[in-house]
Amino acid sequence: MGKFSWVRFLAVLRKEFLHIRRDRASLIMAIVMPIGMLLLFGYAVNTDVDHLPTVVWDQSQTSDSREFITSIRNTQYLDPDDYVQGYHQIESYLDSGKARAAVIIPPEFGKELQRDNGQADIQVLVDGSDPTVARAAMSAVQMLGLNKSLEIQGVRLAAKGASAGTNMPLNIETRVWYNPDMKSMVFNIPALIGLILQNVIAMLTSFSIVREKERGTMEQVVVTPIRSLELLLGKLLPFVFIGFVSLSLILATGIFWFGVMPAGSIPLLVLLSTIFLFTILAIGLLISSVAKTQLQAMQMTFILILPSILLSGFIFPRETMPTFLKILGGLFPLTYFLEIVRGIFLKGVGMEYLWQDTLILCAFAIVLVGIAAKKFKKNLD
């Protein structure tokens, strides 16, 4: 080997920098992606749970009950903004996801607090479908109950002395709905249905079509008498079949291996999964129409997968995210499918609570399938 030549080294170095400068896509990715990922992870990766929507049934309607509700708000963990008049309304709020917790104040709450050695009961219902949120809500309520009890007991002792009694003034009973044991597996397994379908189907669809472009077989098919609609359906239907096989395998594994039983209707889950499946097929088709190589298709699929995991509520509660990230998360079909699949699996709800997410998912499917079909046809022409 000859001596190291600085001239040759600098020539190669200059050539590579010229290539990078001319490759605008790579240059933009190198500059924008680190900043974008830092902002995304910095805001989305947030395990601090606060300002959870909370519904209140105040049967006491006294100054003491109103003061307690104000204390709940001051914790900043729970936002008691909505008031109801019965258990059926509370169930509706929790089933629909409009509230993550419910506070029930009995009629005798005020009287018990004013009575010497009295003990007022409060019931708190927590949506346990997301264990992280449930634990934060329960801890906040229990800590509030302890602090208020000590505060009231201090006033009683100052006024009555030893005759004030030893009962804690507040007795807070917490109950966890939907996932009483607060197991993370019960929360994660249903969500994995959507995530795995998205990742596998989008990647397989985009790779299959781009691979034919690279090999030149797509041009051979185009010159045949086959019409674009026939070719499109012929390309997509095998992946529809693969999607149903994947869905069946995931469901069977979740139920029989992990023991996570759906509380709701499996036929409804399969029906709504079909809508989501066509949405993901359209996304895969769109990626394939833009990408020229399988490497590009993989990069584009990765760009879809990473933000959808962070912003859809798959790992981190959407309640903790800033407003602009919530809006950004709303651009991913996975966000709405997770609400559907968790609603069916954990809460056992039906279309009366899932219709809004279903409509949005249908709109995604119609728009994306239409755009993908048009783009695919244009590429063929």
Side-chain angles (χ1 to χ4, degrees), residues 57-300:
W57 182 16
D58 183 4
Q59 301 169 75
S60 178
Q61 296 293 329
T62 59
S63 59
D64 290 317
S65 65
R66 287 189 288 271
E67 182 183 344
F68 182 76
I69 294 168
T70 302
S71 299
I72 292 175
R73 187 184 304 279
N74 290 340
T75 65
Q76 297 189 3
Y77 285 100
L78 305 176
D79 286 345
D81 293 329
D82 294 320
Y83 292 81
V84 295
Q85 298 299 321
Y87 272 105
H88 66 284
Q89 289 180 289
I90 289 174
E91 185 176 357
S92 176
Y93 267 84
L94 292 176
D95 281 347
S96 63
K98 292 179 182 177
R100 304 302 294 266
V103 178
I104 302 168
I105 302 175
E108 63 277 5
F109 178 82
K111 292 179 182 178
E112 285 296 325
L113 285 185
Q114 298 302 324
R115 188 170 63 85
D116 292 342
N117 203 29
Q119 187 177 62
D121 295 321
I122 296 174
Q123 186 179 41
V124 178
L125 306 177
V126 179
D127 180 354
S129 54
D130 186 340
T132 303
V133 173
R135 290 189 189 100
M138 289 178 64
S139 298
V141 170
Q142 289 166 354
M143 186 61 68
L144 172 65
L146 178 61
N147 291 337
K148 290 295 291 183
S149 287
L150 293 174
E151 179 185 325
I152 296 168
Q153 189 71 350
V155 174
R156 286 180 178 178
L157 287 170
K160 302 288 183 179
S163 62
T166 57
N167 278 342
M168 293 298 282
L170 291 178
N171 175 40
I172 297 182
E173 175 197 355
T174 56
R175 289 179 57 193
V176 180
W177 282 17
Y178 313 123
N179 184 9
D181 297 328
M182 290 189 287
K183 292 182 178 178
S184 298
M185 187 182 296
V186 176
F187 177 69
N188 291 329
I189 293 296
L192 283 170
I193 295 174
L195 184 66
I196 293 171
L197 280 179
Q198 172 189 268
N199 297 354
V200 172
I201 300 304
M203 198 169 290
L204 286 178
T205 307
S206 59
F207 277 27
S208 172
I209 297 174
V210 172
R211 186 168 55 247
E212 291 209 30
K213 285 183 182 178
E214 285 185 327
R215 293 175 178 175
T217 54
M218 183 64 78
E219 286 77 5
Q220 296 174 11
V221 174
V222 170
V223 297
T224 65
I226 192 169
R227 295 185 177 180
S228 57
L229 179 61
E230 297 165 350
L231 180 58
L232 178 63
L233 292 177
K235 283 284 182 189
L236 291 186
L237 286 181
F239 295 105
V240 174
F241 174 76
I242 291 173
F244 279 116
V245 171
S246 298
L247 176 62
S248 303
L249 291 173
I250 298 167
L251 279 175
T253 306
I255 293 171
F256 297 111
W257 183 265
F258 292 101
V260 181
M261 296 293 297
S265 169
I266 291 181
L268 178 61
L269 176 61
V270 173
L271 175 64
L272 299 182
S273 297
T274 305
I275 300 172
F276 178 68
L277 184 60
F278 276 101
T279 307
I280 300 305
L281 282 169
I283 291 174
L285 193 62
L286 278 173
I287 291 174
S288 70
S289 64
V290 175
K292 293 180 174 61
T293 64
Q294 292 185 70
L295 178 60
Q296 287 183 351
M298 185 174 68
Q299 290 172 340
M300 291 179 185

Side-chain angles (χ1 to χ4, degrees), residues 311-312 318 324-333 335-336:
L311 303 180
S312 65
R318 281 171 55 78
F324 77 94
L325 282 187
K326 288 182 184 178
I327 295 172
L328 189 59
L331 300 177
F332 296 97
T335 301
Y336 307 98

Side-chain angles (χ1 to χ4, degrees), residues 20-40:
I20 292 172
R21 192 181 70 179
R22 290 168 183 168
D23 187 357
R24 294 292 178 88
S26 298
L27 190 59
I28 291 172
M29 188 177 293
I31 296 172
V32 174
M33 237 183 131
I35 298 172
M37 289 181 72
L38 178 63
L39 293 173
L40 192 62

